[in-house]
Amino acid sequence: METAQIFEKVGNAVGLGCFAWPISKKGRGFCSDQASRIFASDVNDPAALEALLDPADVERVSAALALESGFSLELRLRNGRWIELNVTVDTADGDRRWLGTVADTTHRVMQAERSAGENIYQAMAENSPAMLWMGDENGKCIFLNSALREFWGVDPEDLSTFDWTSTTHPDDVEKLSTPFLKAMADQEPFKVEARYRRADGCYRTMRTEARPRFDRTDGTFLGMSGVNVDITDRLEAEQQVAESTRLRDAIMQVSPDAIVTVDAEGHFIDFNPGAEAVFGRARAQVLGQEMDRLIVPAHLRARHRAGMKRYLATGEVKILGQRLEMSALKADGTEFPAEIAIVRIPGSEPAVFTAFIRDISARKAAEEHNRLLMGELNHRTKNILSVVQAVARQTARHTKAESFHRVFDARLLGLAASNDLLVKGDWSGVEIMDLLEAQLTHVLDDVGTRLLLSGPQVKIAAKAAQTLGMAIHELVTNSLKHGALGHPEGRVDLTWRTSARAEESPFEMKWIESGLRDVTAPTSKGFGHAVIVDMVAAAFDADVDVEFRACGFRWSLRARSAEALNK
C-alpha cells in the first residue's frame, strides 16, 4: 500500500486533518474528512488551496512550495479563519508528493490578538497623560495610572492601602460623596468636580467622569472606571476672563468717553452709554448698522473704507494703537473734534475692533481761549511796558535828579493800582469808584471833607481805566504840591455823570479846586499835563480842558463817544 494511502486511512480513522498533494502530475491527491472541514472544501492540490487563501498569503504559499522542501506556515483563509500547515516531501514508491497536516488556529490567533490588544491598552492607560483609574465594587482603587500616581504621590506597591477620599478638600467632601455614592448604588455613570490635595500639598480642582464596569459573563458589577482632568488652570482663566468682562462692562457703563466695537465689515456690535451721550444715538438703534454711515463725516468716509479694506487685505494699518484727532459726526449732523484710539481685539478672527472716542470740543475751545489770552497778555504786557517806558522818560525829563525815584515810584504805584483792579475784573473793566479809591489811598482822610466825590456808578473799559487812573494820580499829586489839597482852606470837587441822550456827552468828568487865592498857570508843561490832557483825550475820545482860575485849578473831560465805557 502506498504511503499516501496509509496516511489517508490513518487520518480519517483518528480524525486528523491531513492531506497529500502530488508534486508531479502523476498520482492522486487526497484530503481527509477533518482537513476538508477545516478548509471548508476538498483540497487535493496546491492550486485548490491558493484559491481559498487570503490574497496576502497566496504568495507566501507559492514561495514555500517552489522550494520543494518541508515548511510550516500560519495562513488566513478568505472566510476569516486561521490555519496552520505543516508540510513535508514524501519520495516513497518513487513518486514525489506533499504530505501535510492542517489545524484550525483561529481561536489561538484571536486570543493572542486580544491579549496583545489588552497589553496595548494597558500600556496606553499607564502612560497616558490623562489621569486614569479603576475602582472595585466598594470604591477602593485597584488601578491608578502613572499620571494619577504622580499627582497623589502614590507608590504602586502602596496602592492597596491608599485611600483617595483622604485627599478631598474638607469643603468638597459632601459635594463629591453624594453623586459618587449614588452612582455606585445605581451603577450608573457620573460626573463631578471637586478639589483634591496634590502630593506637594496644593489643592487642585479635578473634573471626574466615570462609568460602571461589569463582568462580561454574568454581568456582575465590578466597580467604576474613570478619568480625572485637572481643570484648575481653566477655572482660573475663566475667572480672570469673567473678572475682565465685569471690569470691561463697568468701564463701558461709567466711562464718559464713547467706546464702540465693530466687526470686520464695520458694523456696530457694541455701543456704550458714553457713546449714546457723545453721538446722540441710542444703542438699540445703531447695533448692526454701518459705523461710517452714522459717526464718520461724509468727507472722511471714503478714506475710512479704504483703510479698512487695506488692513483686511494686507494687515497693514497706520492708525491702530495711535491717538489721533479727527472729526466725528453727531446724530443731528454736526461735526465735532474728537480724539480717537483704535485697537484690534486680541485673537479675534474675523477681526473685531474697539474704538475709544473722546469729544474734545471743550478742550479745543479752552486751547483757543488760552491762545487768545496769551495773545492778549502779550499785547497788554507790551502796552504796560510802553506806558512804563513813557512814564520813566517823561519823569526824567521834567523832574530833578534827586526826586526822580520818588516821583517815578509814585507814578508806578498808581499804574499798578489800576492794573490790580483790571486783573481782578479779568480785564473786563473797572468800576469808577473802585478806581478812584485805589488812586486816593494816600488822601483818604480828606475824602468826604475836603475832597468830595459825586457821580453815578459806571464801569470804565480796561484801556481807558489805566489812563484815567494815571490822570487821577497826577491830579491828586499836583493838588497836594501846588493846589487845594496842599492848603488847609482848599477844597476839591470830583464829579462825573453819564448820559444816553444823543445830543449830550455820554461821559463827563470834572476836577474843580477852590478856596485858594492868586492861582497862576505854570510857565511850562510837564509830563503831568500830557497825562491829564493828551492821554485822557486819546483814551476817552474826549475834549479835555484845563483852566487856572485865581481860586483854583480846573480840569474837565467831555467824551465824544461811549467807547471808554463798558456797556
Side-chain angles (χ1 to χ4, degrees), residues 125-353:
E126 172 65 17
N127 297 293
S128 171
M131 291 180 275
L132 307 177
W133 56 270
M134 292 176 64
D136 63 17
E137 68 276 14
N138 298 314
K140 187 175 181 59
C141 288
I142 58 175
F143 169 76
L144 299 176
N145 75 339
S146 60
L148 196 47
R149 292 198 306 272
E150 180 180 356
F151 178 87
W152 273 320
V154 178
D155 189 292
E157 297 181 358
D158 298 332
L159 185 59
S160 61
T161 61
F162 173 65
D163 180 12
W164 62 271
T165 61
S166 65
T167 69
T168 309
H169 192 285
D171 295 341
D172 290 354
V173 171
E174 184 176 354
K175 176 183 178 181
L176 172 64
S177 61
T178 300
F180 175 74
L181 294 176
K182 184 179 186 305
M184 290 288 288
D186 298 342
Q187 299 177 10
E188 294 179 344
F190 74 94
K191 298 177 182 180
V192 67
E193 293 180 6
R195 288 168 290 177
Y196 299 88
R197 186 178 62 252
R198 200 167 55 186
D200 60 3
C202 176
Y203 280 96
R204 305 285 291 181
T205 302
M206 307 264 264
R207 186 171 190 270
T208 299
E209 295 190 21
R211 300 184 66 83
R213 201 172 65 259
F214 300 96
D215 187 279
R216 293 181 180 178
T217 57
D218 59 12
T220 302
F221 176 62
L222 301 178
M224 292 284 183
S225 298
V227 57
N228 289 0
V229 179
D230 188 337
I231 60 173
T232 307
D233 295 338
R234 191 199 76 194
L235 292 177
E236 290 177 351
E238 289 175 351
Q239 183 177 1
Q240 291 176 355
V241 170
E243 290 177 354
S244 297
T245 301
R246 286 194 295 271
L247 178 61
R248 172 187 174 276
D249 291 344
I251 293 174
M252 290 279 287
Q253 289 299 314
V254 304
S255 174
D257 294 334
I259 304 176
V260 302
T261 302
V262 298
D263 59 22
E265 296 179 352
H267 296 103
F268 283 115
I269 58 178
D270 207 350
F271 201 78
N272 78 325
E276 292 181 313
V278 168
F279 294 105
R281 296 183 181 275
R283 182 176 187 272
Q285 296 175 343
V286 303
L287 294 186
Q289 300 295 316
E290 294 180 0
M291 180 189 72
D292 58 2
R293 186 174 60 83
L294 297 184
I295 68 173
V296 178
H299 62 91
L300 296 177
R301 289 172 190 166
R303 189 171 69 179
H304 168 77
R305 291 169 180 166
M308 283 285 290
K309 184 177 181 180
R310 181 174 60 254
Y311 173 76
L312 295 175
T314 66
E316 297 178 1
V317 68
K318 296 180 180 179
I319 66 171
L320 286 185
Q322 305 289 325
R323 298 178 74 89
L324 306 172
E325 290 186 8
M326 60 181 63
S327 295
L329 187 67
K330 291 182 179 290
D332 61 7
T334 59
E335 292 188 29
F336 65 95
E339 184 176 73
I340 301 176
I342 304 173
V343 296
R344 177 174 177 173
I345 302 300
S348 60
E349 193 61 45
V352 174
F353 304 92

